[in-house]
């Protein structure tokens, strides 16, 4: 039986081959050169986020010490902090200070950290390595990892509800984050991703691509998109600013996932801090598996071009977001 309770032959008998010809597998993906000014700004934002997350992981005197350790291990680990940085950059692009958007940035990263902890569990993706370290359940046990994820998810909404003002902005942020992370967003996308039965029932490439895009629009892009939305909400952005950021976020989210798929076939395990080659091993539907490596790269580059174009109404305040998008598509981890 495989990890989803299906015999291996069931998959083999019903799927079109999803492995790539080895000649098309790249040995590496070039490391991007981030413009120095952006790199410095991102480092400052990352530091702000890390400090704010550390503060919010300590506060809560009634929290059992063992649970607190598992929470801190998961949320303070060495991640890229892409989503909270997007919150802060979106707020800045709409004329707001990053400090004011920090609670929203922390909430998004807490939900992201919860999703990684639960995704790594044996019942889901069954991973032992994340961010270059043993996964939460390998260190603290499965029960504690489930609880740490639960705690991060609920704490995220507490942070939004108690720290953001005015109340209508706090409520709008709670609603948007719940929609993005919930059954019609990330959890729904994860559900369809795990549902091997449905994937194997579709055999035509166009149908497979549509399903793959629909899964990743919810599983990956929704959290990226809502990060921008929260930044815009905190900043009191105009309708035109919201629209520009959402147009950017939808395309960036999909491009990010395509690059994630490419890194799974050609990335460096040490740089990524997680296992590679798992998608192919499991016969998973992926962009390089469906389109090939070169077409996937071209698709990611085109999405980033469109994402930057969508930022036009914010010019020149959207420039950092545009630079970040170019980095995201060329990243090596
Ligand atoms: C368990 C409800 C639930 C959902 C899990 C996030 C997720 C959904 C699964 C993780 C596996 C995966 C490949 C997700 C796609 C999104 C993604 C690439 C997540 C990793 O995000 P990064 O690269 O990670 O930003 P860091 O560690 O840098 O924060």
């Amino acid at each position: 039986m495989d990890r989803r309770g299906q015999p291996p032959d069931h998959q083999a008998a019903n799927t079109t081959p999803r492995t790539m010809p080895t000649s098309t597998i790249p040995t590496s993906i070039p490391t991007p050169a981030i413009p120095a000014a952006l790199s410095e700004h991102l480092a400052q934002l990352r530091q702000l986020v890390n400090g704010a997350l550390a503060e919010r992981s300590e506060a809560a005197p009634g929290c059992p010490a063992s649970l607190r350790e598992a929470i801190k291990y998961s949320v303070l680990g060495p991640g890229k902090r892409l989503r909270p940085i997007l919150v802060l950059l979106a707020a800045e692009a709409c004329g707001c200070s990053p400090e004011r958007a920090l609670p929203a940035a922390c909430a998004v990263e807490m939900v992201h950290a919860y999703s990684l902890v639960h995704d790594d569990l044996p019942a889901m993706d069954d991973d032992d390595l994340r961010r270059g370290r043993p996964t939460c359940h390998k260190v603290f046990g499965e029960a504690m990892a489930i609880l740490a994820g639960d705690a991060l998810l609920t704490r995220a909404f507490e942070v939004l509800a108690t720290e953001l003002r005015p109340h209508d902005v706090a409520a709008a942020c709670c609603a948007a984050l719940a929609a993005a992370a919930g059954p019609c967003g990330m959890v729904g996308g994860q559900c369809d991703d795990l549902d091997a039965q449905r994937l194997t029932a579709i055999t035509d490439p166009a149908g497979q691509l549509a399903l793959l895009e629909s899964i990743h629009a919810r599983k990956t892009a929704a959290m990226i998109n809502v990060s921008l939305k929260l930044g815009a909400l905190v900043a009191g952005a105009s309708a035109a600013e919201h629209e520009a950021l959402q147009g950017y976020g939808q395309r960036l989210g999909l491009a990010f996932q395509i690059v994630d798929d490419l890194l799974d076939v050609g990335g460096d395990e040490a740089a990524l801090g997680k296992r590679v080659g798992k998608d192919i091993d499991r016969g998973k539907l992926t962009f390089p598996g469906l389109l090939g490596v070169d077409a996937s790269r071209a698709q990611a580059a085109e999405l980033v071009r469109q994402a930057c174009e969508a930022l036009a109404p914010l010019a020149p305040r959207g420039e950092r977001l545009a630079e970040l998008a170019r980095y995201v598509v060329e990243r090596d981890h």
Side-chain angles (χ1 to χ4, degrees), residues 322-333:
E323 283 176 353
L324 183 67
R326 289 180 206 114
Y327 157 72
V328 159
V329 82
E330 292 168 14
R331 70 197 166 96
D332 67 351
H333 68 287

Side-chain angles (χ1 to χ4, degrees), residues 80 83 112 114-115 119 131 190 219-220 256-257 260:
K80 292 183 287 298
R83 294 151 193 83
H112 172 61
Y114 125 78
S115 76
D119 184 66
R131 294 172 163 176
Q190 175 79 349
K219 182 177 152 183
T220 308
F256 180 86
Q257 182 60 53
D260 206 67

